[in-house]
Amino acid sequence: NANANSASASTSNDQADAEKTKKRARSLSVSSDEDDDVKDTSPKKKAKRSPGASAPTSSGPSNITVNVLLAQTWTEEKGCDPTGYWISEKLDGVRAFFNGQGFYSRLGNKFFAPDDFSAQWRSKLPSNATLDGELFTGRNKFQDTVSIVRSGASNRWPEVKYYVFDAPFMGNKPFEERLAFLKKIFGDSDSPTYPNVILVEHVKCTGKDHVLDKLQELQKKGAEGLMLRQPLSRYEPKRSSTLLKVKTFYDAEAKVVAHHKGSGKNAAVMGAIEVEMACGKHFRIGTGFSDAQRRKPPQIGSIVVYKFQELSKSGTPRFPVYVGDAIDKTEARDAEMRVIDSGDGDDDE
């Protein structure tokens, strides 16, 4: 398990502090690939409108080329000194690029948001403005967000907010200047100018302890992790060390190859899915599913997102949990991480 065993009582304050630091370091794991790769979710076409739903927007092409800034990873042991960096919450939402007309996934597929979603504020932007952010319905609601934004027919779009964190069209300007522009248009995070657009809050980092304390604070509230932004950095439309992510679990994608019947209360529905990793290894995922998802599990051949704590010695994930469908993915992706001893065995269910 990633959590360290409780230490024996220390005989001095220095020993206690050292043990506390050691335990915290051992519990800090990060994913090795950008989570936006996993959570990029968009429709291929407009769906039929349901009763009461707002009319989807017709402006803008259905597909464009999108290149966004992607994060590298940060660890306490090997990461840079984060003092002076900007800390923000890593949102468990759907990455969305706004091109002045509509919202697009990072693969360039359009999200068919209703016209009124951006009607209040898009005219306030310069004609060449582009925004980077996430469509978000709340912590631990990733699957809810996906189910809404993948269709313009949903009558639940009022639940979605656009959490904006950058302005790519000002990419040659320092991050602080881009942040000031966004604040001028959208207001502070705690007093937004428009109800459905929130500027992601950024605070100055005072050091590694600040990062770890903030991570613990937010994850107790259900947050996914943290992002660290280098001060004075430009917006680079590629994976860059100017943006770092910090998390306490790994995630990856795998292909569904079989459904396995459940037992007990799940005797009449799916108990676990069997998936294939990119490396060819098979394992089962039996947790993270709602009752509705057990009745209608992910299709065989589809790609799903899962998270886990660590790998066993055999190279399969321990304690895997289903996160959602990777709609814009066609191939599995494994996380890159160290291999540990399996200890008490795998938890395939």
Side-chain angles (χ1 to χ4, degrees), residues 142-164:
F142 170 65
Q143 197 61 38
D144 278 352
T145 308
V146 170
S147 67
I148 297 170
V149 305
R150 70 193 299 182
S151 170
S154 175
N155 58 8
R156 296 178 61 193
W157 268 96
E159 300 175 31
V160 180
K161 297 184 186 299
Y162 186 49
Y163 277 71
V164 61

Side-chain angles (χ1 to χ4, degrees), residues 182-202:
L182 294 172
K183 185 175 181 179
K184 183 178 179 181
I185 300 292
F186 299 112
D188 290 314
S189 57
D190 56 354
S191 56
T193 305
Y194 306 100
N196 65 346
V197 183
I198 310 296
L199 177 61
V200 174
E201 181 182 18
H202 291 78

Side-chain angles (χ1 to χ4, degrees), residues 43 45-50 56 112 150-154:
K45 60 182 179 180
K46 298 182 185 179
K48 293 182 179 179
R49 193 162 39 143
S50 60
F112 291 100
R150 70 193 299 182
S151 170
S154 175

Side-chain angles (χ1 to χ4, degrees), residues 76 95-96 175 199 247 314 316 324 336:
E76 184 180 6
R95 186 77 174 265
F175 175 66
L199 177 61
K247 295 173 60 176
S314 66
T316 56
E336 296 178 6

Side-chain angles (χ1 to χ4, degrees), residues 88 139 187 268 270 333:
S88 64
R139 295 169 179 149
M270 180 272 293
R333 175 191 62 84

Side-chain angles (χ1 to χ4, degrees), residues 12-137:
S12 70
N13 288 335
D14 288 343
Q15 288 175 316
D17 290 342
E19 183 63 18
K20 179 181 178 183
T21 300
K22 180 180 178 181
K23 289 172 68 179
R24 184 166 59 181
R26 289 185 63 187
S27 70
L28 183 64
S29 302
V30 295
S31 63
S32 59
D33 288 303
E34 176 57 25
D35 304 291
D36 301 318
D37 294 346
V38 176
K39 296 173 182 173
D40 184 41
T41 311
S42 59
K44 297 299 182 184
K45 60 182 179 180
K46 298 182 185 179
K48 293 182 179 179
R49 193 162 39 143
S50 60
S54 301
T57 179
S58 58
S59 61
S62 60
N63 189 276
I64 64 172
T65 299
V66 172
N67 294 298
V68 293
L69 173 63
L70 302 176
Q72 295 185 6
T73 60
W74 183 91
T75 64
E76 184 180 6
E77 298 84 359
K78 297 181 180 180
C80 64
D81 180 359
T83 302
Y85 277 58
W86 293 97
I87 299 177
S88 64
E89 179 177 340
K90 188 179 193 312
L91 300 172
D92 188 19
V94 177
R95 186 77 174 265
F97 177 85
F98 184 76
N99 73 338
Q101 294 180 303
F103 296 92
Y104 292 84
S105 75
R106 53 165 302 222
L107 291 188
N109 295 318
K110 187 175 183 179
F111 295 115
F112 291 100
D115 275 323
D116 57 10
F117 190 83
S118 59
Q120 283 185 298
W121 49 266
R122 63 175 177 255
S123 63
K124 308 297 183 183
L125 298 170
S127 59
N128 66 331
T130 55
L131 305 175
D132 194 358
E134 294 216 6
L135 296 169
F136 186 67
T137 57

